[in-house]
């Protein structure tokens, strides 16, 4: 699913961890939604994998540096029991 490019993303020949931005991803096995952050931009994309062209972009009041941390929980998915945060 194509997503907008990120300023500050890792570049060829550079390290993937020093001074770059990343994406974080969260999904629930009980829903068809996937959340993907856009590090440094303060945006989270919500994608319904059944209809990816209907992506919703949420603007947040934080830049989500380095991708931030995402957690997606849906009723009945049991994600709250995962102590490893997968």
């Amino acid at each position: 699913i194509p997503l907008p490019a990120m300023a500050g993303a890792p570049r060829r020949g550079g390290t993937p961890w020093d001074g770059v931005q990343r994406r974080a991803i969260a999904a629930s096995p009980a829903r068809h939604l996937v959340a993907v952050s856009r590090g440094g931009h303060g945006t989270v994309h919500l994608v319904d994998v059944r209809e990816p062209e209907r992506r919703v972009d949420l603007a947040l009041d934080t830049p989500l540096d380095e991708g931030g941390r995402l957690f997606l929980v849906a009723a009945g998915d049991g994600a709250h029991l995962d102590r490893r945060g997968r």
Side-chain angles (χ1 to χ4, degrees):
I1 298 170
L3 294 172
M6 296 183 338
R11 303 261 185 244
R12 177 175 282 186
T15 62
W17 50 83
D18 290 328
V20 298
Q21 295 294 344
R22 297 182 251 315
R23 297 187 190 273
I25 301 170
S28 168
R31 297 289 180 266
H32 299 307
L33 287 178
V34 175
V36 183
S37 70
R38 190 172 174 214
H41 295 271
T43 305
V44 173
H45 309 290
L46 286 178
V47 179
D48 183 333
V49 296
R50 297 171 300 180
E51 299 181 63
E53 66 281 355
R54 297 186 66 189
R55 183 185 80 223
V56 174
D57 299 332
L58 305 171
L60 305 177
D61 61 356
T62 175
L64 293 173
D65 282 331
E66 298 188 6
R69 302 287 185 260
L70 298 179
F71 184 69
L72 185 63
V73 179
D77 70 1
H80 65 286
L81 300 172
D82 184 355
R83 295 180 187 263
R84 299 208 187 267
R86 289 170 279 200

